[in-house]
Amino acid sequence: MEIIKAVNGIFWGWLIAGLLLSCGIFYTIRLGVPQVRYFTQLVPNLWKASRDATGVSAFGALCSAIGSEVGAGSLVGVATALASGGPGAIFWMWVTAILGMPIMFGEAVLAQMFRVRNEDGTTFRGGPAYYMRRGLNARVLPILFSVSVILGNGVVYCMVQSNSIAGSFSGQAALPPLGVGAVLVILTALVIFGGIKRLSTVASYVVPFMAFAYIILALIVLVTHAEWIADMLRLIFDSAFGIQQAAGGALGYTVQEAFRYGVARGLFSNDAGAGTTPSMHAAANVKHPVNQGLSGMLGVFVTTIIVCSCTAFCILLSGALNGDLKGIQLTQAAFSASFGDLGYWLVAAAMFLFGYTTLLANMYYGEVNTRYLFPDKEHAVTAYRIFALVLIFFGSIVPVTSMWEFSDLFGALMVLFNVIALFRLSKYVAFALKDYQQKRKTTDTPLWDYDADVVELYRSRNGN
């Protein structure tokens, strides 16, 4: 484990975080600050893109994507970032989200442009492995990425989710972890064997409810601690830049720790740059790739800027950060400070719903990349599903600290491979956005020719 920590120290010290933020700055400039220019269009776009959609709608794909993002990253990851990096880590989570929005835009657009049709003829699959292969004509890079996703999301992340869910019930209820794990396996199997349509349907019902309910609870905490909000915000910004008078500095946190854990957990919360959620966005049946790109930006904003901030504010206002608690127990202690024993149950219920939708999405990501490695071999997909379900069961008793280190490692590898493709394929994202803008001048519903070869279409219009 010390070796893994050392490697993560190298990756997340500055390397991966620097690559991720550089990619965000690059896409922000190349696309003309889309997170600002199109911010007011994010919700209306989702509404229009989801109307009369057949198959997997933009709303269903977004809910599935958010369901994978608003999981342990929003409850456990934020608590871990605060415990390890101090209040300043929240500032860097915000920075990661703001710069992550154009990255997710690019990922979703590329996933739409280079996706392939499934065997059923009505649904699609895609993601980084597919746009690496079809857009870059690369062979090794998509294989490395797919293996990283299968091991990371399909194995480690699934175990992180089940461990966090089981841990959330161990404090007050003292439910046996294996019992919780068994329930998770059954509920997950019922959905994952139904394919992307069933997954998007379940997410469309569960995600809006759980996100809205969690935000309401956090708002209650903020209202009851209104007089401390200004001091809390000052603490976050002071700690982010290492101002000595900040309480975070007195607790021994450094700027590097705040940066490292803020960016790492920010990535884990919204997946921007990691290349996982594009698989969900590829499945959406929309008129134009940019429609789903805008939906992707909305997902990053909701998960990190809104939901993760809710968790962070509740922890900081409760004073629980000064103790020895970490992970889900820290989040539960924060809510119990405002809601008493009920707070433990509220967080446990939220963790169950958040973690459950994330489990579904993580298994789907593993499945999509398994299909890439083993095309037309359904038995490979079935074997993966069974293997992942077994790991979910045993993950309920694995120490969460070790799992977080592995999640950081595979997350770093996914970013490394995916960012290479994002930089090299940015011309196609800019091409799609230009096409969308031109068509918006004459119609409210720009159409994209999904049957055309993207590379040849780009060359014919740009002369190269």
Side-chain angles (χ1 to χ4, degrees), residues 4 49 276:
I4 300 298
T276 50

Side-chain angles (χ1 to χ4, degrees), residues 252-267:
Y253 301 113
T254 66
V255 175
Q256 184 174 357
E257 288 173 330
F259 180 83
R260 179 254 195 269
Y261 286 99
V263 174
R265 297 297 174 251
L267 167 65

Side-chain angles (χ1 to χ4, degrees), residues 44-357:
N45 165 77
L46 180 63
W47 172 257
K48 292 179 181 179
S50 299
R51 286 186 307 179
D52 303 323
T54 58
V56 179
S57 68
F59 180 73
L62 177 61
C63 285
S64 299
I66 292 179
S68 72
E69 298 160 2
V70 184
S74 300
L75 278 74
V76 186
V78 173
T80 303
L82 284 169
S84 302
I90 303 307
F91 172 81
W92 294 111
M93 287 187 70
W94 292 337
V95 172
T96 302
I98 293 172
L99 294 178
M101 290 174 72
I103 296 177
M104 185 63 75
F105 177 89
E107 290 179 302
V109 168
L110 290 172
Q112 281 276 319
M113 296 173 76
F114 293 101
R115 67 187 185 180
V116 297
R117 193 179 296 273
N118 285 320
E119 290 73 14
D120 59 13
T122 60
T123 59
F124 302 87
R125 69 179 185 273
Y130 295 82
Y131 57 67
M132 289 173 185
R133 182 69 185 92
R134 304 183 70 200
L136 294 176
N137 197 30
R139 295 183 182 276
V140 177
L141 191 63
I143 292 176
L144 293 175
F145 178 83
S146 292
V147 171
S148 297
V149 172
I150 293 171
L151 294 178
N153 284 77
V155 176
V156 175
Y157 285 10
C158 282
M159 297 178 75
V160 166
Q161 300 298 332
S162 62
N163 182 274
S164 298
I165 293 172
S168 68
F169 285 99
S170 64
Q172 289 291 96
L175 296 179
L178 289 182
V180 177
V183 173
L184 279 175
V185 168
I186 294 172
L187 293 178
T188 302
L190 288 174
V191 176
I192 202 65
F193 280 96
I196 182 60
K197 286 186 178 180
R198 186 179 299 176
L199 172 56
S200 65
T201 300
V202 172
S204 297
Y205 286 103
V206 176
V207 171
F209 165 76
M210 71 181 189
F212 180 76
Y214 190 72
I215 292 170
I216 293 298
L217 292 174
L219 287 176
I220 294 175
V221 175
L222 290 177
V223 170
T224 56
H225 295 79
E227 68 273 19
W228 301 105
I229 293 178
D231 292 334
M232 176 195 66
L233 293 175
R234 189 178 303 111
L235 174 63
I236 291 174
F237 285 98
D238 287 349
S239 300
F241 297 99
I243 297 177
Q244 295 301 315
Q245 290 79 7
L251 290 173
Y253 301 113
T254 66
V255 175
Q256 184 174 357
E257 288 173 330
F259 180 83
R260 179 254 195 269
Y261 286 99
V263 174
R265 297 297 174 251
L267 167 65
F268 190 81
S269 71
N270 60 53
D271 290 338
T276 50
T277 50
S279 295
M280 288 295 184
H281 294 301
N285 190 4
V286 293
K287 304 296 184 181
H288 197 283
V290 170
N291 291 133
Q292 202 58 30
L294 296 175
S295 295
M297 287 203 296
L298 178 61
V300 173
F301 182 83
V302 169
T303 54
T304 304
I305 301 297
I306 296 181
V307 178
C308 286
S309 294
C310 287
T311 301
F313 292 165
C314 290
I315 291 175
L316 291 174
L317 290 173
S318 70
L321 184 61
N322 294 321
D324 298 324
L325 297 176
K326 293 184 179 181
I328 193 65
Q329 284 76 27
L330 176 56
T331 306
Q332 287 179 310
F335 275 84
S336 67
S338 296
F339 299 101
D341 289 343
L342 179 62
Y344 284 91
W345 289 100
L346 292 174
V347 174
M351 187 63 246
F352 185 86
L353 290 175
F354 288 8
Y356 174 58
T357 56

